[in-house]
Amino acid sequence: MKLRDLRFSGRRIATVVVTAAMAAATITVGTAHAVSVTKNLTYRCTFPLVGPQDVAATVQITFPDTGTTGARIVNGDLSIVATLSANVVSALRAFQTATTEGSAVADVDASHLTNSFTLGVSGLKIAKQNVPASGTMPVQISGPTPSMIVYKAGNVVIKAGQQFNAKVDTRKANGQPTALGVLNVPCTVKATTPAQDLSLATIPVTGADVTPPDQGTPASGPVDKTLVYNCVFPQSGAVDVPGHITGTIPATGTVNQRLQPNLSIAATLPSSVADVLRANSAATVSGSGQADADASYNGSNITVGIPGPVPSVAVPASGDLTATLAPSVPSLAVPAAGSIVLSAGQQLNGTFTPLKADGTPTALGTFSVPCTLNPGQNPALGTIVVS
């Protein structure tokens, strides 16, 4: 199988809806092209001390019912309720575990025309909750999913992937770590007869072929470069914002094995933008963002729009302000040998909420900042040779 004619972009792909497989899918049509999916699935998860256990999960997410070539297909946030067995709860209580929380990575299988690939989507949060004295324990897992863009007409088929991996921080009632520490819990789809139906959505995409973005001159080595975006802010309007991109991209990889790039973007907002924040008594600003990343692979192109948080940063008394976007870069597994060229995408968008010193919102409220890569730059970030 080859990843041809596929291109993705945006910020929420049904990708994380990777919580298992077991039966019953209920699909209802929501408002204006939105389809809500609720599916009950089962994983086999390996817990320290307890060993392999079945974990039943209920997945909820929305998909658009159609798409257009070159236009974003925006899916809803993922919500998963996974139920831990009484055996797991007993083991947690035996180590004085009062609360749990953590993070998760979910695989999703996507196909378009004759091509397919697997994304391992990170950035899922396991909500903090109390461990019951006995019985089972429902665990809430949620997070944003990348959107997608395809550039040729045809169905986009989304399925739950085979793996779901969690990191669970166990704490005593006084907030101190338990002897268990942070648990690594690997999960795979449970093998059943008949096999579980992992299908989540089929999105028909129509329209003429669309030309993909230019990826620039291929680069190698650690990622350390600055690209300038034109961003539109409230009151200050359109301004140029330099984004310093750093990180690592593996130089080599193996067919059907995970390839994990890591990237961070430090955006320097000019004083004209910071002045607006100061004029509105903003003491801090935080939010979220999505960064596009373009990839070419054996003659085909993909664009992945990656969501991520913008941690709170203090607004300085004067001068520029630097905010960091930490995209939850998904891993990628490809089905054939070749070279993957990665580049910064054309869009870098954020949503920000400034707060006063007392923690209350400013008159600016929460606002969106769309950014577009200025032309004439080399957006290439790295090359992975897959064998």
Side-chain angles (χ1 to χ4, degrees):
M1 292 186 292
K2 296 189 185 226
L3 248 181
R4 285 183 193 166
D5 308 324
L6 242 191
R7 306 165 198 229
F8 281 120
S9 168
R11 83 174 172 208
R12 294 179 179 166
I13 196 176
T15 205
V16 327
V17 341
V18 46
T19 71
M22 161 123 183
T26 302
I27 300 180
T28 57
V29 177
T31 60
H33 308 299
V35 176
S36 178
V37 176
T38 299
K39 194 158 191 175
N40 297 317
L41 304 165
T42 301
Y43 275 106
R44 191 70 169 166
C45 301
T46 302
F47 294 86
L49 304 178
V50 184
Q53 300 283 311
D54 284 356
V55 175
T58 299
V59 178
Q60 292 184 313
I61 192 170
T62 59
F63 301 94
D65 57 357
T66 60
T68 303
T69 53
R72 288 188 190 275
I73 298 174
V74 180
N75 310 303
D77 285 359
L78 174 69
S79 175
I80 303 166
V81 178
T83 302
L84 305 184
S85 69
N87 288 341
V88 174
V89 172
S90 294
L92 292 172
R93 297 299 300 185
F95 283 84
Q96 300 180 311
T97 307
T99 63
T100 59
E101 65 179 318
S103 61
V105 177
D107 278 1
V108 64
D109 295 332
S111 64
H112 177 244
L113 302 176
T114 60
N115 310 302
S116 65
F117 66 97
T118 299
L119 286 176
V121 178
S122 58
L124 301 181
K125 301 299 182 184
I126 301 173
K128 184 177 182 179
Q129 60 194 89
N130 296 327
V131 178
S134 61
T136 60
M137 177 180 172
V139 176
Q140 178 66 54
I141 306 166
S142 61
T145 62
S147 64
M148 73 176 102
I149 295 175
V150 296
Y151 294 82
K152 288 181 179 291
N155 289 342
V156 173
V157 179
I158 305 296
K159 296 182 179 181
Q162 290 295 313
Q163 294 187 37
F164 179 88
N165 299 302
K167 290 184 180 294
V168 182
D169 185 15
T170 60
R171 298 274 169 166
K172 299 178 182 179
N174 62 6
Q176 295 299 309
T178 72
L180 294 172
V182 177
L183 304 179
N184 291 312
V185 183
C187 303
T188 57
V189 171
K190 184 179 180 180
T192 60
T193 303
Q196 299 187 75
D197 178 11
L198 304 184
S199 300
L200 294 167
T202 298
I203 305 170
V205 177
T206 59
D209 291 358
V210 175
T211 302
D214 182 8
Q215 287 192 264
T217 304
S220 61
V223 179
D224 188 350
K225 71 188 311 176
T226 297
L227 296 173
V228 180
Y229 295 79
N230 189 259
C231 304
V232 180
F233 290 88
Q235 297 184 25
S236 54
V239 297
D240 282 347
V241 174
H244 185 203
I245 305 173
T246 57
T248 58
I249 293 173
T252 60
T254 304
V255 168
N256 290 324
Q257 298 298 312
R258 291 181 188 274
L259 306 169
Q260 182 62 74
N262 292 286
L263 297 171
S264 179
I265 305 169
T268 301
L269 311 185
S271 58
S272 60
V273 173
D275 285 344
V276 172
L277 295 172
R278 288 186 281 263
N280 284 272
S281 303
T284 62
V285 63
S286 62
S288 61
Q290 61 166 326
D292 280 358
D294 299 332
S296 63
Y297 170 64
N298 287 352
S300 65
N301 294 81
I302 304 166
T303 302
V304 177
I306 310 167
V310 177
S312 180
V313 60
V315 177
S318 62
D320 300 341
L321 183 156
T322 298
T324 300
L325 170 63
S328 300
V329 181
S331 62
L332 172 67
V334 295
S339 294
I340 302 172
V341 179
L342 301 176
S343 303
Q346 296 299 302
Q347 294 189 32
L348 174 64
N349 302 317
T351 299
F352 300 97
T353 301
L355 299 176
K356 299 177 182 179
D358 62 3
T360 60
T362 71
L364 294 170
T366 296
F367 55 88
S368 296
V369 178
C371 301
T372 303
L373 185 67
N374 282 345
Q377 303 178 86
N378 178 19
L381 299 176
T383 302
I384 307 172
V385 177
V386 181
S387 58

